[in-house]
Amino acid sequence: MPAVSKGDGMRGLAVFISDIRNCKSKEAEIKRINKELANIRSKFKGDKALDGYSKKKYVCKLLFIFLLGHDIDFGHMEAVNLLSSNRYTEKQIGYLFISVLVNSNSELIRLINNAIKNDLASRNPTFMGLALHCIANVGSREMAEAFAGEIPKILVAGDTMDSVKQSAALCLLRLYRTSPDLVPMGDWTSRVVHLLNDQHLGVVTAATSLITTLAQKNPEEFKTSVSLAVSRLSRIVTSASTDLQDYTYYFVPAPWLSVKLLRLLQCYPPPEDPAVRGRLTECLETILNKAQEPPKSKKVQHSNAKNAVLFEAISLIIHHDSEPNLLVRACNQLGQFLQHRETNLRYLALESMCTLASSEFSHEAVKTHIETVINALKTERDVSVRQRAVDLLYAMCDRSNAQQIVAEMLNYLETADYSIREEIVLKVAILAEKYAVDYTWYVDTILNLIRIAGDYVSEEVWYRVIQIVINRDDVQGYAAKTVFEALQAPACHENLVKVGGYILGEFGNLIAGDPRSSPLIQFNLLHSKFHLCSVPTRALLLSTYIKFVNLFPEIKTTIQDVLRSDSQLKNADVELQQRAVEYLRLSTIASTDILATVLEEMPPFPERESSILAKLKKKKGPGTVTDLEEIKKERSSDMNGSAEPASVNASAVSTPSPSADLLGLGAAPLANSAPPPSSSGSLLVDVFSDSASAVAPLAPGSDDNFASPDLASSEVVSEEPADTVHDADELFHKFVCKNNGVLFENQLLQIGLKSEFRQNLGRMFIFYGNKTSTQFLNFTPTVICSDDLQSSLNLQTKPVDPTVDGGAQVQQVVNIECVSDFMEAPILNIQFRYGGTFQNLSVKLPITLNKFFQPTEMSSQDFFQRWKQLSNPKQEVQNIFKAKHPMDAEITKAKIIGFGSALLEEVDPNPANFVGAGIIHTKTTQIGCLLRLEPNLQAQMYRLTLRTSKEAVSQRLCELLSEQF
Amino acid sequence: MIKFFLMVNKQGQTRLSRYYEHVEIKKRTMLEAEVIKNCLSRSKDQCSFIEYKDFKLVYRQYAALFVVVGIDHTENEMAVYELIHNFVEVLDKYFSRVSELDIMFNLDRVHIILDEMVLNGCIVETNRNRILAPLLVLDKVAES
């Protein structure tokens, strides 16, 4: 092998480089370089024609100068001249100069193209290789125009040398990327696919890159590549470690090619052909098995190469997301890596596990590693590994572990690197909101965030906590108390002053009864922070003060004194001055009534997408320092796209409360949005005008009515509706006493309901929310009634649009008429295509007999008179059952009212008992119903008695109501 | 896709740079300076992948020389990490115990080797003998 100055060693070059190395300072280096540039320039301009050797020497010097970061504005022409040299060494250096120094919009391209054309026609494989490399690396549009027709021919011609084929494949890839319009698909496409079968692994390596890019844009045309890639992969994976000779790297057969093939397969859904699918599964299993075998070499290169393939195989398994067995094995493998001594492996394992967490098959398996991940957060010495751990905790978070994860993230935040604090703050805020069952926990969490990392709590975060407190009256008193306490700290963050000021201004009255937080104390506390705050915060506090004037007339004069002080009225800041003047005036001239109106409590905020989530997404976006970004715009949007499924999945599991939904998916129309326009007569308008009662079931405190979204979700997705409808019964029962809420939810889909009934008519709005970022196709919901049911229940549904965009929601209306009493519930069947897979699921639609109840008020005397009239054994149905929920009288009352009957107070001689009365309206008849519920607190039992004129009705109502307590 | 391939020494001097997307020379020097700063600030127990702007850096250190590769999200980190080693082994084979000086004095040959391995940001050849084949032809021509 050659020594330092090799082959045709260029002495001048060596001297120059040595000189540069000996330069003691940057200035000296620049001086030496300028001297050399002047020298070369004069040589190029000189009269004496330079020989090839000299040209080559100078071009090499220019390359070196360029590498040092100096722009080269001459020598291009000389390089182009070298291209037409017949000496390989000269030609080579010419191409090198051009591919390093010439960019795609150079004026020289035409001259270069000429040289390339000659070399391509030369049939000399070395020259052809050089020319193709040049196209692959420069790849301008002009080059595409000149060669896009020819390259495919070279690529698939039978007599092309292997090395030329390799270059041609990458060359075509370049042209396709820069000018796809100039690379028309044609006969060559099918022959390109067959390059996957080529004997030569170098050709396969190059072709796989080309095919992957082409397949991403034209999946149909390159579909056949799937089976070819699988069989090639299978041959590699099962080969003995010496079979592939030079393509074996430290006993791993063709690792880079395997990775590329696995990438290619990620352009497609799982193969449909069972044979191909089986073979692929076998391959993936073999790869997973190999990870457990003792290593064939102790060298780290061996395990690295093996793991490169393994990680790619796991990516494919996650991409397919269809083989629970493989997914769980992948998860176990990654779990092992989480504790590996190599940092690289721990990092990559955390990263892959993040995507694994969003698969419904492996979500649970991922969750078992929570302790290890939390430990990583505490002990990893590398910030990027810790960041991955945070991402994974975020991805694996659900209702069951939210409290733990949020607590750990808060813990970590205290010591976290500054670079990732803001992101952690956003994540904590999102998780706390999304999984808040108890909103006091949410308020505590956000206040903790402000305490620990106040500087990183952006406006979006503290705006959101205020929105939520305003929209949920169950947490307002707690919030006021908590901020009041937090403000006691001698030094608190300005963000806390903002939140505290706003909340006390609205709800300070809720804690004013306590002498420790009397109006004056609240005011003094806030005002003690005033002078330390920035102008916007002070402006906010002034608004709080005027709100106090309304809330607490007793401290009006104190506040007026403050507003009147010079530091306010004559404040240099015009905004503060104006507020002080206006508020002072308002407090002086306005009557109590006007003040109360002007300064009324803020109305609930309209539902909107959480800006926190938008911000988190934005943070993941590209930075902006180099021009690389401009070129990569397209790519970075791809990247965001690919990141999205995880975040959408994670966030779309919305809780049913109106304010908790981060994406505005589903909950908004379920809750307090304006009613949809209705044109069908006064009946529905009536119901809508009574919107307070329609919203009531969603009111705080009724959260326990909502099943956790995970409930029965995985079981419900199935091909056989009959089996699975049963599993959803529990969710179904939640709707007996209420009309709105989330009926069903899994990883893909959320179904929400809003319905109203009056006499024997009803209308139900079904909202289908696509939780993924991918379109649902052929989306067909069907409401199915059994034959029996059809005669007693008339349902009319309007068809919905068959495509549901990612993140979008569609609405379906069902008009309902009850003809006669009925037992069963209709079934809602939903079919659609998601990605490549067909989804079919069925849920019971909660249209139950009690929905057609009209309450009837009656006196004790009337009640017992009718009770006796219905004493025929066939009219009475009784059930004695154990309490499933805590026996709370208020909740029981709410449920009986929700059930539809009137709740009759002071009717039963025993005040612990509940009695109710109502009439079931059907088109054909009206059926009077009486009910009596006798709780036995000691035994934790209930006795429920139903008396109606019709046995079947008594029976059904008793069944439905028994499930509620 | 591979965005760029760099060899930089501990003093921050670039010894090889190959960009697979056009980057202006001024931005190159800035980028190279930042990249090496990033690598130098890391200790041995940190991982070899750095998230940098919207791409990733994969790096390995050989004596005083860092090899740093910028990749996008479609690339497999571990495979690129071993690609670096494969490249260094090819250099080692050709120069018999490669040093920083070999790379400086034979910039054109190092470029040829890299171009045989990575083309247009894609791995095109991994077989050492085939990577070196064109170069051996070149040396033979030069000798004659």
Side-chain angles (χ1 to χ4, degrees), chain A residues 4 6 88 92 166 247 249-250 256 260 263 301 304 308 312 344 347 351 381-382 388 631-632, chain B residues 22 42 45 47-48 51 55-56 74 76 79 82 85 89 94 106 112 123-125 129-130 138:
Chain A
V4 168
K6 300 168 59 95
Y88 178 42
Q92 193 272 334
Q166 278 171 280
Y247 286 90
Y249 179 81
Y250 288 92
W256 292 281
K260 282 193 184 194
R263 269 276 164 195
Q301 285 81 4
N304 282 345
E312 206 59 58
N344 288 346
Y347 171 90
E351 193 178 55
R381 298 170 72 176
D382 184 343
R388 287 286 147 270
I631 308 159
K632 285 184 300 203
Chain B
H22 179 68
R42 295 171 73 85
D45 51 11
C47 78
S48 316
E51 274 156 68
F55 49 91
K56 255 188 201 163
T74 62
N76 177 313
E82 273 321 300
H85 191 72
E89 284 195 355
Y94 181 70
N106 300 284
I112 295 174
I123 299 173
V124 62
E125 184 57 81
N129 293 328
R130 285 180 46 87
L138 197 68

Side-chain angles (χ1 to χ4, degrees), chain A residues 120-253:
Chain A
L120 285 184
S122 71
R123 311 214 121 262
N124 172 338
T126 322
F127 289 5
M128 283 173 86
L130 286 175
L132 290 168
H133 277 206
C134 181
I135 303 176
N137 284 324
V138 178
S140 70
R141 188 159 178 92
E142 271 182 282
M143 282 186 176
E145 278 163 3
F147 304 111
E150 196 169 346
I151 309 288
K153 289 183 207 147
I154 298 177
L155 179 57
V156 298
D159 59 347
T160 307
M161 300 255 306
D162 291 332
S163 62
V164 175
K165 269 191 200 164
Q166 278 171 280
S167 310
L170 271 305
C171 189
L172 189 57
L173 172 58
R174 173 68 182 223
L175 299 185
Y176 184 76
R177 276 191 189 144
T178 42
S179 323
D181 53 312
L182 295 178
V183 184
M185 300 293 120
D187 316 338
W188 59 273
T189 50
S190 63
R191 299 177 64 185
V192 162
V193 172
H194 281 276
L195 290 178
L196 289 174
N197 257 338
D198 201 282
Q199 283 190 322
H200 194 281
L201 288 190
V203 175
V204 186
T205 305
T208 311
S209 288
L210 173 65
I211 294 167
T212 305
T213 304
L214 292 171
Q216 277 160 355
K217 298 273 163 59
N218 320 278
E220 272 308 307
E221 291 183 56
F222 290 88
K223 226 176 168 176
T224 47
S225 63
V226 172
S227 61
L228 290 170
V230 169
S231 67
R232 175 56 91 173
L233 182 67
S234 161
R235 272 179 280 156
I236 295 173
V237 169
T238 54
S239 67
S241 56
T242 46
D243 283 1
L244 304 173
Q245 292 164 357
D246 289 343
Y247 286 90
T248 299
Y249 179 81
Y250 288 92
F251 304 101
V252 182

Side-chain angles (χ1 to χ4, degrees), chain A residues 757-759 850-856 900-902 917-921:
Chain A
F757 296 90
R758 179 143 174 150
Q759 298 190 335
N850 65 300
K851 299 289 178 196
F852 305 96
F853 242 132
Q854 291 287 309
T856 322
S901 67
I919 296 167
I920 298 276
H921 288 255

